[in-house]
Amino acid sequence: MSVKVFLELVEFKAKTASVLPFLIGICYSWYHYHTIHLAYVIIYFIAMFLFNMAVDILDNYNDYHHATDVHDYKEKTNIIGRENLSLKLVFNLMVGLIVVSALMGIGLSYFVGWPLLVMGLYCYLVGIFYSSGPRPLSSLPLGEFFSGFTMGFMISLICVYLNAYEQFEWNWPTLSAIFLISLPNTLWIANLMLANNICDLEEDEKNNRYTIVHYLGKKQSLHVFVGLNILAYLAILTSVVLHLAPVTTLGALFSLFVVYPQTKRFCQKQVKRETFICAVKILAVGSLVYVCFYALGLFL
């Protein structure tokens, strides 16, 4: 397996979806709790990254097995069939990544407490059943919620907990604050999945995958896509007003110069190979600018 094929198998280009929520968690930890446990968050980052790669391998693996014979998805679209990869090699690689990341997480929980085990277990269950089982989460009208909530909110929550576990309080004000600062990433990640499902509507239906787009229709789904982008910026404004983020975070509004035209372009045309990249750019630019201006406030 070449490096290029491996990177496509683990969908390396999509790793922005996990890295930037992690960085927002780092920023909030320092801004609100004034503490960073560098060793813990480095171990967590590695474990998170390995598991994220394993989930994407599992997604490709299950898509390959679940594909019907209605069209040539197996042979020409899925990376496993297209590159004629060994199923045994792919399976062993996936299991290896899951085991290593799980052991790292269990080791961390020994030092920071059992809440990490509970949060980690939730993330692992969502990651595994997102594309596994008789009715995978990704094939239901729940995929956008679970992907956005788990990657956008839970990654940030775990990061904050690791940095502040000695003083962390499990109450609604604490969780609501972390949810709000993670909400832009949560919505943009959900939108990435929504855009994917909009582009793949016909192919998904042929493979008996009935996502939320199947029930809403493309037109209404595009309205949701636009609405989630608007809500992301409202969340940024609210977090500053409530003093959960420094004033410099308002600079994230500059990303609108990229997000708006990309949103407009996607609404005009929904073709996977041509315009799905719009949702990727919205997530990457929106989240990156958000993190950068949040971090700038910490230095100033």
Side-chain angles (χ1 to χ4, degrees):
M1 185 188 303
S2 68
V3 173
K4 181 181 179 181
V5 171
F6 172 77
L7 293 179
E8 184 177 350
L9 179 66
V10 301
E11 299 184 17
F12 191 80
K13 292 186 291 185
K15 293 298 170 277
T16 303
S18 57
V19 173
L20 292 171
F22 170 85
L23 293 177
I24 277 294
I26 293 285
C27 290
Y28 183 76
S29 299
W30 183 253
Y31 184 72
H32 188 74
Y33 294 101
H34 308 292
T35 178
I36 298 288
H37 291 300
L38 189 59
Y40 291 165
V41 294
I42 289 176
I43 294 172
Y44 167 55
F45 179 82
I46 296 172
M48 175 197 73
F49 206 83
L50 292 178
F51 182 65
N52 191 278
M53 289 195 295
V55 169
D56 286 329
I57 294 175
L58 178 62
D59 190 32
N60 281 314
Y61 184 85
N62 284 324
D63 282 349
Y64 179 82
H65 279 291
H66 295 157
T68 63
D69 296 326
V70 174
H71 54 100
D72 54 6
Y73 173 81
K74 271 191 175 184
E75 291 75 20
K76 294 186 178 180
T77 304
N78 188 281
I79 178 68
I80 296 174
R82 195 178 74 239
E83 298 295 333
N84 197 28
L85 300 179
S86 165
L87 287 175
K88 183 178 180 180
L89 173 63
V90 171
F91 181 82
N92 289 339
L93 177 61
M94 174 184 66
V95 172
L97 290 173
I98 292 175
V99 170
V100 171
S101 63
L103 290 175
M104 294 176 74
I106 292 170
L108 266 181
S109 67
Y110 176 79
F111 296 99
V112 303
W114 62 266
L116 179 62
L117 277 179
V118 176
M119 292 185 288
L121 179 61
Y122 165 81
C123 292
Y124 273 70
L125 289 174
V126 171
I128 291 171
F129 289 104
Y130 187 77
S131 61
S132 302
R135 294 300 301 276
L137 295 174
S138 62
S139 68
L140 302 173
L142 303 170
E144 285 78 5
F145 167 78
F146 279 107
S147 60
F149 182 84
T150 305
M151 298 185 72
F153 172 62
M154 291 302 297
I155 287 177
S156 296
L157 175 61
I158 293 174
C159 190
V160 175
Y161 174 76
L162 284 175
N163 284 315
Y165 69 95
E166 305 99 330
Q167 52 184 311
F168 194 92
E169 295 182 6
W170 289 97
N171 54 41
W172 286 115
T174 298
L175 295 177
S176 298
I178 297 173
F179 180 75
L180 184 60
I181 63 101
S182 67
L183 189 56
N185 287 323
T186 299
L187 296 173
W188 281 322
I189 292 170
N191 247 359
L192 185 70
M193 302 301 122
L194 179 61
N196 182 68
N197 289 333
I198 291 173
C199 292
D200 289 346
L201 177 60
E202 291 78 14
E203 186 174 272
D204 283 342
E205 289 175 338
K206 289 177 182 178
N207 284 304
N208 299 317
R209 292 162 53 95
Y210 301 106
T211 64
I212 194 170
V213 183
H214 169 78
Y215 296 97
L216 294 180
K218 277 193 175 183
K219 184 177 180 180
Q220 191 62 37
S221 296
L222 288 171
H223 290 325
V224 174
F225 182 84
V226 174
L228 293 184
N229 280 326
I230 294 172
L231 284 176
Y233 287 102
L234 290 177
I236 292 173
L237 290 171
T238 305
S239 67
V240 173
V241 171
L242 296 179
H243 306 293
L244 299 176
V247 177
T248 56
T249 309
L250 292 176
L253 297 178
F254 284 115
S255 63
L256 277 168
F257 289 107
V258 173
V259 171
Y260 175 74
Q262 293 300 322
T263 301
K264 185 176 180 180
R265 183 186 172 206
F266 183 75
C267 288
Q268 291 172 341
K269 190 176 186 180
Q270 303 86 48
V271 178
K272 189 69 169 283
R273 294 190 177 185
E274 296 180 33
T275 56
F276 175 66
I277 189 65
C278 296
V280 176
K281 289 179 180 179
I282 290 170
L283 169 61
V285 174
S287 296
L288 180 60
V289 174
Y290 177 40
V291 168
C292 288
F293 277 101
Y294 198 121
L296 179 62
L298 302 181
F299 289 107
L300 296 179

